[in-house]
Amino acid sequence: MRSDTLTPDMTKACSSLNSLLAPLCALILLTLTHAQNQQPKPSADPFGAAPHASQAQQENFPPQLLDELAAIKTAALGDDYAYRQVAHLTENIGPRPSGSPQAKAAADYVAAELRKLGLEVQLEEVKVPHWVRGAETAELVEFSGQAAGTSQKVVLTALGGSTATPAEGIIADVVVVNNFDELKALGRDKVAGKIVLFNELFDKQKSAAGMAFMAYGEAVRYRGAGAKAAADLGAAASLVRSVGDSDFRLPHTGWSAPAGIPAGAVTAEDAELIAHLSREGRVRMHLTLTPQKLPDAVGYNVIGDLKGSEHPEQVVVVSGHLDSWDLGTGAIDDGAGVVVAMQAAEVLQKLHLRPRRTLRVIAWMDEETGGSGSQTYSKDHASEFPNHVAAIESDAGAAHPLGFDLKMTPEAADLLQPVAGVLQSLGATVLQSSAYPPGADIAAMSESGVPALGIMQDGRTYFHYHHTAADTLDKIVPGELRENAAAMAVMGYALACMKNPLPR
Ligand SMILES: [Zn+2]
């Protein structure tokens, strides 16, 4: 799914485009679909019918397994292991961009913690890009109504992979466009030598209504592909309006396809300022971005196995990504995903529950800047994919879980209804089929046929902080993180212990 125009983040966004549709509608649909699949025929009134497990569901989830799943849920909800782990990753280790000493320290730390849990751990070497942020400043040096001797500061940040301006910066006219069509209509004559600003709005109404990932998917294409489109018309630099819905004049970084020109993101407030002034006349900007692209570095996927008692060769992956952007400390994106996967193993060990199949915890490297971690895993483990029973990734924050996005056959999804039953007291009952792999790191597995699941979190505040300096530990609500750990542990153990592997 990756290309110059479809970034890892877009894959994630696409996968969750519909992930936060009104849960009630989804439940009604599930109820109806489920009711239609049942034998014998259900009551004509699905809202009045008592829940009834199909024969296949009962076979796969005998009473003892359901009891174990309930015990796992209770234990996970009373356990602060995940929170303590994410506190260490964010507060003690800090930001973990690919190629950084912190990314290496985090891989060593997670490996050691998984060994402490008794897992068989390997560090899988991954070649990662190494880009480091430099100076990043901008000011408007010419605009309508300007008082003599003044400039207007613009708050911005460089996008990952951006090239540098000279140390003293560049001064150029700014041209504002709302979309790619407007850029194309301007043509090379009006774009060459200028700083292009893509002023695509992030749809706050969608995100407030629980459709944040759709809003993200609509806006993020300009961050991913804008610089390349501007460079193709000879632009001197490219800026996007930050892809996020915060009102705190915070710039949001993120991945931008290599374009050979400096690429940055201004805050939503500064995009409004520049658009306002450019409607009144000429706007010139002094822009300084001095990031550096260093030689590729070595990073690590951390892989920890809790070996299966009956089918050790069959694997259920529970995962999140360990790398983060450099502005914050990578708490909600995606320290949270890594630690809820770790807690899934921790809870099973604490309860002395050995899964029938292997539960594999993976902390992925380099989700944010190209996905080399998942690419390496797909290459090294492709021959094992027929025995990868399922893969789960949590990469949509740490807020209350609503259920799971599923990329699998309808028959497989239907078999998981008893798990939703166990999670009902959490509210994590939505099992929503997705047209796209629900997680960038498990996309390759999903495309090769492995049933894939993503935890569906409440995303209403996720894009306030996503890829900003404010993605920090305080944004994680401990109780909500425990709910996510419970959802991951229950689903992971269910997949590892149900009678038959999920059908493909
Ligand atoms: Zn992420």
Side-chain angles (χ1 to χ4, degrees):
M1 293 295 288
R2 290 198 184 86
S3 73
D4 281 356
T5 52
L6 191 56
T7 71
D9 262 348
M10 286 171 72
T11 309
K12 180 169 76 188
C14 294
S15 73
S16 300
L17 280 185
N18 297 311
S19 72
L20 295 168
L21 288 171
L24 183 61
C25 299
L27 275 176
I28 290 170
L29 274 174
L30 278 172
T31 308
L32 292 169
T33 314
H34 184 51
Q36 283 158 5
N37 292 341
Q38 285 172 8
Q39 301 293 331
K41 273 190 128 182
S43 143
D45 172 13
F47 301 101
H52 169 77
S54 69
Q55 197 178 342
Q57 289 167 352
Q58 290 180 42
E59 264 173 32
N60 274 285
F61 293 96
Q64 189 195 333
L65 177 53
L66 291 174
D67 288 348
E68 289 171 354
L69 293 173
I72 290 166
K73 177 187 69 174
T74 303
L77 289 174
D79 185 343
D80 67 351
Y81 178 86
Y83 190 80
R84 283 187 278 114
Q85 295 299 349
V86 77
H88 187 88
L89 287 175
T90 55
E91 305 279 88
N92 299 90
I93 294 177
R96 304 171 299 282
S98 285
S100 66
Q102 295 100 319
K104 167 78 169 65
D108 289 339
Y109 175 76
V110 170
E113 290 300 302
L114 293 178
R115 284 193 189 102
K116 272 191 218 166
L117 294 177
L119 273 56
E120 282 179 31
V121 177
Q122 351 155 15
L123 288 168
E124 181 175 47
E125 200 172 297
V126 177
K127 197 171 100 175
V128 296
H130 192 192
W131 175 90
V132 292
R133 194 172 295 283
E136 38 193 30
T137 60
E139 58 274 338
L140 304 181
V141 293
E142 189 180 330
F143 50 91
S144 167
Q146 181 181 25
T150 68
S151 62
Q152 285 251 47
K153 181 184 165 105
V154 168
V155 180
L156 87 172
T157 194
L159 293 176
S162 168
T163 58
T165 64
E168 69 279 13
I170 58 170
I171 295 178
D173 284 16
V174 181
V175 54
V176 180
V177 297
N178 292 304
N179 51 52
F180 289 121
D181 289 340
E182 288 185 19
L183 179 76
K184 223 185 281 171
L186 285 175
R188 177 170 279 272
D189 278 0
K190 292 188 174 134
V191 171
K194 302 201 171 131
I195 298 170
V196 172
L197 169 62
F198 291 93
N199 189 29
E200 170 68 15
L201 301 189
F202 187 103
D203 187 338
K204 291 184 185 183
Q205 283 175 302
K206 274 203 186 79
S207 68
M211 300 170 84
F213 285 87
M214 180 181 274
Y216 181 70
E218 289 169 354
V220 77
R221 66 193 69 164
Y222 294 91
R223 192 194 74 205
K228 179 75 170 64
D232 287 347
L233 293 177
S238 170
L239 301 174
V240 292
R241 181 184 180 119
S242 281
V243 185
D245 55 12
S246 67
D247 285 323
F248 318 122
R249 210 177 178 187
L250 275 174
H252 297 240
T253 191
W255 188 82
S256 172
I261 59 171
V266 303
T267 69
E269 292 85 344
D270 288 278
E272 292 288 340
L273 168 74
I274 296 165
H276 179 114
L277 292 175
S278 73
R279 282 191 294 271
E280 296 181 349
R282 188 181 193 191
V283 174
R284 282 171 74 74
M285 176 185 282
H286 177 206
L287 172 68
T288 307
L289 297 173
T290 61
Q292 280 181 277
K293 179 157 175 36
L294 303 175
D296 285 348
V298 173
Y300 299 93
N301 290 328
V302 186
I303 302 173
D305 282 355
L306 182 55
K307 287 288 180 193
S309 56
E310 288 176 40
H311 297 289
E313 78 292 355
Q314 294 180 6
V315 170
V316 173
V317 171
V318 293
S319 67
H321 68 85
L322 192 53
D323 66 302
S324 75
W325 280 104
D326 56 330
L327 295 175
T329 56
I332 60 170
D333 188 13
D334 181 34
V338 170
V339 300
V340 300
M342 292 169 76
Q343 185 166 326
E346 187 261 351
V347 167
L348 299 191
Q349 293 294 65
K350 202 161 71 177
L351 296 177
H352 307 291
L353 285 173
R354 180 111 181 258
R356 294 175 60 223
R357 306 183 181 90
T358 294
L359 187 85
R360 174 168 291 176
V361 179
I362 305 183
W364 302 101
M365 187 43 59
D366 193 37
E367 189 274 343
E368 298 289 6
T369 49
S372 57
S374 72
Q375 287 157 21
T376 301
Y377 185 85
S378 312
K379 213 165 65 195
D380 292 356
H381 299 269
S383 65
E384 302 158 31
F385 283 179
N387 262 328
H388 275 45
V389 169
I392 314 177
E393 180 161 22
S394 172
D395 186 18
H400 169 67
L402 300 163
F404 292 84
D405 285 305
L406 310 177
K407 176 79 168 70
M408 58 181 68
T409 65
E411 295 72 31
D414 188 59
L415 280 180
L416 296 177
Q417 278 300 331
V419 186
V422 172
L423 294 173
Q424 188 162 15
S425 64
L426 291 187
T429 51
V430 180
L431 297 178
Q432 179 167 274
S433 74
S434 163
Y436 302 94
D441 297 298
I442 57 172
M445 269 185 264
S446 171
E447 280 154 14
S448 75
V450 178
L453 304 87
I455 301 186
M456 178 197 293
Q457 279 96 356
D458 177 347
R460 286 175 299 171
T461 62
Y462 186 59
F463 292 101
H464 294 0
Y465 312 116
H466 179 253
H467 295 188
T468 73
D471 177 1
T472 45
L473 180 63
D474 54 296
K475 306 309 181 303
I476 294 180
V477 177
E480 293 181 342
L481 189 70
R482 288 196 292 269
E483 292 177 340
N484 279 290
M488 183 70 97
V490 167
M491 185 59 86
Y493 189 75
L495 293 164
C497 291
M498 58 193 289
K499 179 161 177 278
N500 303 307
L502 282 179
R504 299 191 175 196

Short mmCIF file of all heavy atoms in Angstrom, two decimals, residues 180-217:
data_model
loop_
_atom_site.label_atom_id
_atom_site.label_comp_id
_atom_site.label_asym_id
_atom_site.label_seq_id
_atom_site.Cartn_x
_atom_site.Cartn_y
_atom_site.Cartn_z
N PHE A 180 -4.89 20.43 -5.00
CA PHE A 180 -4.00 20.14 -6.13
C PHE A 180 -4.51 20.77 -7.43
O PHE A 180 -3.73 21.20 -8.27
CB PHE A 180 -3.84 18.63 -6.31
CG PHE A 180 -3.02 17.97 -5.22
CD1 PHE A 180 -3.56 16.97 -4.43
CD2 PHE A 180 -1.70 18.35 -5.00
CE1 PHE A 180 -2.81 16.36 -3.44
CE2 PHE A 180 -0.93 17.75 -4.00
CZ PHE A 180 -1.49 16.76 -3.21
N ASP A 181 -5.83 20.81 -7.61
CA ASP A 181 -6.38 21.39 -8.84
C ASP A 181 -6.01 22.87 -8.95
O ASP A 181 -5.66 23.35 -10.04
CB ASP A 181 -7.91 21.24 -8.87
CG ASP A 181 -8.32 19.80 -9.09
OD1 ASP A 181 -7.47 19.01 -9.58
OD2 ASP A 181 -9.47 19.46 -8.77
N GLU A 182 -6.08 23.59 -7.84
CA GLU A 182 -5.71 25.01 -7.88
C GLU A 182 -4.23 25.18 -8.19
O GLU A 182 -3.84 26.10 -8.90
CB GLU A 182 -6.05 25.67 -6.53
CG GLU A 182 -7.54 25.87 -6.32
CD GLU A 182 -7.85 26.64 -5.04
OE1 GLU A 182 -6.95 27.34 -4.51
OE2 GLU A 182 -9.00 26.54 -4.58
N LEU A 183 -3.42 24.27 -7.67
CA LEU A 183 -1.98 24.34 -7.96
C LEU A 183 -1.74 24.15 -9.46
O LEU A 183 -1.01 24.91 -10.09
CB LEU A 183 -1.23 23.27 -7.16
CG LEU A 183 0.28 23.25 -7.40
CD1 LEU A 183 0.96 24.40 -6.66
CD2 LEU A 183 0.90 21.92 -6.97
N LYS A 184 -2.40 23.13 -9.99
CA LYS A 184 -2.24 22.82 -11.41
C LYS A 184 -2.70 23.98 -12.27
O LYS A 184 -2.07 24.35 -13.26
CB LYS A 184 -3.05 21.55 -11.75
CG LYS A 184 -2.28 20.58 -12.64
CD LYS A 184 -3.12 19.39 -13.06
CE LYS A 184 -3.23 18.35 -11.96
NZ LYS A 184 -4.23 17.30 -12.27
N ALA A 185 -3.82 24.59 -11.87
CA ALA A 185 -4.37 25.70 -12.65
C ALA A 185 -3.42 26.90 -12.66
O ALA A 185 -3.34 27.63 -13.65
CB ALA A 185 -5.73 26.12 -12.08
N LEU A 186 -2.67 27.09 -11.58
CA LEU A 186 -1.70 28.20 -11.55
C LEU A 186 -0.59 27.96 -12.56
O LEU A 186 -0.13 28.89 -13.23
CB LEU A 186 -1.09 28.34 -10.14
CG LEU A 186 -1.96 28.96 -9.06
CD1 LEU A 186 -1.23 28.90 -7.73
CD2 LEU A 186 -2.31 30.40 -9.42
N GLY A 187 -0.15 26.73 -12.65
CA GLY A 187 0.90 26.39 -13.62
C GLY A 187 2.27 26.88 -13.19
O GLY A 187 2.42 27.63 -12.23
N ARG A 188 3.25 26.42 -13.96
CA ARG A 188 4.64 26.69 -13.63
C ARG A 188 4.96 28.19 -13.53
O ARG A 188 5.67 28.63 -12.63
CB ARG A 188 5.53 26.01 -14.67
CG ARG A 188 7.04 26.25 -14.51
CD ARG A 188 7.83 25.35 -15.42
NE ARG A 188 7.98 24.02 -14.87
CZ ARG A 188 8.96 23.65 -14.06
NH1 ARG A 188 9.90 24.51 -13.69
NH2 ARG A 188 9.03 22.43 -13.60
N ASP A 189 4.36 28.99 -14.42
CA ASP A 189 4.64 30.44 -14.44
C ASP A 189 4.40 31.10 -13.09
O ASP A 189 5.15 31.98 -12.68
CB ASP A 189 3.70 31.14 -15.43
CG ASP A 189 4.23 31.02 -16.85
OD1 ASP A 189 5.31 30.40 -17.01
OD2 ASP A 189 3.56 31.53 -17.77
N LYS A 190 3.33 30.69 -12.43
CA LYS A 190 2.96 31.37 -11.18
C LYS A 190 3.48 30.64 -9.94
O LYS A 190 3.29 31.13 -8.83
CB LYS A 190 1.43 31.49 -11.11
CG LYS A 190 0.91 32.45 -12.16
CD LYS A 190 -0.56 32.73 -11.98
CE LYS A 190 -1.02 33.79 -12.95
NZ LYS A 190 -2.27 33.47 -13.64
N VAL A 191 4.11 29.48 -10.14
CA VAL A 191 4.57 28.70 -8.99
C VAL A 191 6.10 28.70 -8.87
O VAL A 191 6.63 28.72 -7.75
CB VAL A 191 4.03 27.24 -9.10
CG1 VAL A 191 4.67 26.34 -8.05
CG2 VAL A 191 2.51 27.23 -8.97
N ALA A 192 6.79 28.70 -10.00
CA ALA A 192 8.25 28.56 -9.98
C ALA A 192 8.89 29.64 -9.11
O ALA A 192 8.53 30.81 -9.17
CB ALA A 192 8.80 28.63 -11.40
N GLY A 193 9.80 29.21 -8.25
CA GLY A 193 10.54 30.14 -7.41
C GLY A 193 9.78 30.59 -6.17
O GLY A 193 10.30 31.35 -5.35
N LYS A 194 8.53 30.15 -6.02
CA LYS A 194 7.72 30.62 -4.88
C LYS A 194 7.60 29.55 -3.80
O LYS A 194 7.93 28.39 -4.01
CB LYS A 194 6.32 31.02 -5.37
CG LYS A 194 6.41 32.10 -6.45
CD LYS A 194 5.15 32.86 -6.60
CE LYS A 194 5.42 34.06 -7.53
NZ LYS A 194 4.42 34.18 -8.59
N ILE A 195 7.11 29.99 -2.65
CA ILE A 195 6.79 29.05 -1.56
C ILE A 195 5.30 28.75 -1.67
O ILE A 195 4.47 29.67 -1.56
CB ILE A 195 7.12 29.67 -0.19
CG1 ILE A 195 8.63 29.97 -0.09
CG2 ILE A 195 6.66 28.74 0.94
CD1 ILE A 195 9.02 30.81 1.14
N VAL A 196 4.96 27.49 -1.93
CA VAL A 196 3.56 27.09 -2.04
C VAL A 196 3.03 26.74 -0.65
O VAL A 196 3.68 26.01 0.09
CB VAL A 196 3.40 25.88 -2.98
CG1 VAL A 196 1.96 25.34 -2.95
CG2 VAL A 196 3.80 26.26 -4.41
N LEU A 197 1.85 27.24 -0.31
CA LEU A 197 1.17 26.82 0.92
C LEU A 197 -0.13 26.11 0.54
O LEU A 197 -1.02 26.70 -0.07
CB LEU A 197 0.84 28.03 1.81
CG LEU A 197 -0.10 27.70 3.00
CD1 LEU A 197 0.51 26.69 3.96
CD2 LEU A 197 -0.51 28.98 3.74
N PHE A 198 -0.20 24.82 0.90
CA PHE A 198 -1.45 24.06 0.73
C PHE A 198 -2.30 24.31 1.97
O PHE A 198 -1.94 23.89 3.06
CB PHE A 198 -1.16 22.56 0.60
CG PHE A 198 -0.46 22.19 -0.68
CD1 PHE A 198 0.94 22.11 -0.72
CD2 PHE A 198 -1.18 21.92 -1.83
CE1 PHE A 198 1.59 21.76 -1.89
CE2 PHE A 198 -0.53 21.56 -3.01
CZ PHE A 198 0.86 21.48 -3.05
N ASN A 199 -3.43 24.97 1.76
CA ASN A 199 -4.27 25.36 2.91
C ASN A 199 -5.50 24.45 2.99
O ASN A 199 -6.64 24.92 3.08
CB ASN A 199 -4.67 26.83 2.77
CG ASN A 199 -5.37 27.36 4.01
OD1 ASN A 199 -5.11 26.89 5.12
ND2 ASN A 199 -6.25 28.33 3.84
N GLU A 200 -5.25 23.14 2.98
CA GLU A 200 -6.37 22.18 3.06
C GLU A 200 -6.84 22.09 4.51
O GLU A 200 -6.05 21.82 5.41
CB GLU A 200 -5.90 20.80 2.57
CG GLU A 200 -6.85 19.66 2.83
CD GLU A 200 -8.15 19.72 2.02
OE1 GLU A 200 -8.21 20.48 1.04
OE2 GLU A 200 -9.09 19.00 2.39
N LEU A 201 -8.14 22.30 4.73
CA LEU A 201 -8.67 22.26 6.09
C LEU A 201 -8.75 20.84 6.63
O LEU A 201 -8.99 19.91 5.87
CB LEU A 201 -10.09 22.85 6.13
CG LEU A 201 -10.29 24.28 5.67
CD1 LEU A 201 -11.70 24.73 6.00
CD2 LEU A 201 -9.28 25.23 6.31
N PHE A 202 -8.54 20.70 7.92
CA PHE A 202 -8.83 19.43 8.60
C PHE A 202 -10.28 19.57 9.09
O PHE A 202 -10.61 20.53 9.79
CB PHE A 202 -7.87 19.27 9.78
CG PHE A 202 -7.96 17.93 10.47
CD1 PHE A 202 -6.99 16.96 10.23
CD2 PHE A 202 -8.98 17.64 11.35
CE1 PHE A 202 -7.05 15.72 10.86
CE2 PHE A 202 -9.06 16.41 11.97
CZ PHE A 202 -8.09 15.44 11.74
N ASP A 203 -11.12 18.64 8.71
CA ASP A 203 -12.55 18.77 8.98
C ASP A 203 -12.85 18.47 10.46
O ASP A 203 -13.02 17.32 10.87
CB ASP A 203 -13.32 17.81 8.06
CG ASP A 203 -14.83 18.00 8.15
OD1 ASP A 203 -15.30 18.54 9.19
OD2 ASP A 203 -15.52 17.61 7.21
N LYS A 204 -12.92 19.53 11.25
CA LYS A 204 -13.09 19.37 12.70
C LYS A 204 -14.47 18.81 13.05
O LYS A 204 -14.63 18.19 14.10
CB LYS A 204 -12.94 20.72 13.40
CG LYS A 204 -11.54 21.25 13.39
CD LYS A 204 -11.50 22.53 14.19
CE LYS A 204 -10.14 23.16 14.10
NZ LYS A 204 -10.05 24.36 14.91
N GLN A 205 -15.45 19.10 12.20
CA GLN A 205 -16.79 18.57 12.52
C GLN A 205 -16.79 17.05 12.41
O GLN A 205 -17.40 16.37 13.24
CB GLN A 205 -17.84 19.18 11.60
CG GLN A 205 -18.18 20.60 12.01
CD GLN A 205 -19.12 21.26 11.02
OE1 GLN A 205 -18.80 21.38 9.84
NE2 GLN A 205 -20.25 21.68 11.51
N LYS A 206 -16.09 16.55 11.38
CA LYS A 206 -16.00 15.09 11.28
C LYS A 206 -15.31 14.52 12.52
O LYS A 206 -15.76 13.54 13.09
CB LYS A 206 -15.20 14.69 10.03
CG LYS A 206 -16.02 14.61 8.76
CD LYS A 206 -15.35 13.69 7.74
CE LYS A 206 -16.10 13.73 6.41
NZ LYS A 206 -15.79 14.92 5.62
N SER A 207 -14.20 15.14 12.92
CA SER A 207 -13.47 14.52 14.03
C SER A 207 -14.27 14.64 15.33
O SER A 207 -14.29 13.70 16.12
CB SER A 207 -12.05 15.06 14.17
OG SER A 207 -12.04 16.38 14.55
N ALA A 208 -14.97 15.74 15.52
CA ALA A 208 -15.78 15.88 16.73
C ALA A 208 -16.92 14.85 16.74
O ALA A 208 -17.39 14.44 17.80
CB ALA A 208 -16.35 17.29 16.82
N ALA A 209 -17.35 14.45 15.54
CA ALA A 209 -18.45 13.48 15.45
C ALA A 209 -17.95 12.05 15.45
O ALA A 209 -18.71 11.13 15.19
CB ALA A 209 -19.27 13.76 14.18
N GLY A 210 -16.66 11.85 15.73
CA GLY A 210 -16.14 10.49 15.82
C GLY A 210 -15.59 9.95 14.52
O GLY A 210 -15.37 8.75 14.40
N MET A 211 -15.38 10.82 13.52
CA MET A 211 -14.84 10.36 12.24
C MET A 211 -13.49 11.01 11.97
O MET A 211 -13.19 11.45 10.86
CB MET A 211 -15.84 10.68 11.12
CG MET A 211 -17.18 9.98 11.36
SD MET A 211 -18.47 10.53 10.25
CE MET A 211 -18.10 9.48 8.87
N ALA A 212 -12.65 11.04 13.01
CA ALA A 212 -11.38 11.75 12.92
C ALA A 212 -10.46 11.14 11.87
O ALA A 212 -9.72 11.86 11.20
CB ALA A 212 -10.69 11.73 14.28
N PHE A 213 -10.51 9.82 11.73
CA PHE A 213 -9.58 9.20 10.78
C PHE A 213 -9.98 9.48 9.34
O PHE A 213 -9.14 9.53 8.45
CB PHE A 213 -9.44 7.70 11.06
CG PHE A 213 -8.60 7.47 12.28
CD1 PHE A 213 -9.15 7.46 13.54
CD2 PHE A 213 -7.22 7.33 12.16
CE1 PHE A 213 -8.37 7.30 14.67
CE2 PHE A 213 -6.42 7.16 13.27
CZ PHE A 213 -6.99 7.15 14.53
N MET A 214 -11.27 9.71 9.11
CA MET A 214 -11.69 10.12 7.77
C MET A 214 -11.20 11.54 7.50
O MET A 214 -10.67 11.84 6.43
CB MET A 214 -13.20 10.04 7.63
CG MET A 214 -13.67 10.45 6.26
SD MET A 214 -15.47 10.38 6.09
CE MET A 214 -15.67 8.67 5.65
N ALA A 215 -11.34 12.43 8.49
CA ALA A 215 -10.86 13.80 8.33
C ALA A 215 -9.35 13.80 8.05
O ALA A 215 -8.86 14.52 7.18
CB ALA A 215 -11.17 14.60 9.58
N TYR A 216 -8.63 12.95 8.77
CA TYR A 216 -7.18 12.85 8.60
C TYR A 216 -6.85 12.37 7.18
O TYR A 216 -6.00 12.93 6.50
CB TYR A 216 -6.62 11.89 9.64
CG TYR A 216 -5.12 11.69 9.59
CD1 TYR A 216 -4.26 12.71 9.96
CD2 TYR A 216 -4.58 10.47 9.18
CE1 TYR A 216 -2.88 12.52 9.94
CE2 TYR A 216 -3.20 10.28 9.15
CZ TYR A 216 -2.37 11.31 9.53
OH TYR A 216 -1.01 11.12 9.50
N GLY A 217 -7.56 11.33 6.75
CA GLY A 217 -7.30 10.75 5.42
C GLY A 217 -7.52 11.77 4.31
O GLY A 217 -6.80 11.78 3.31
#
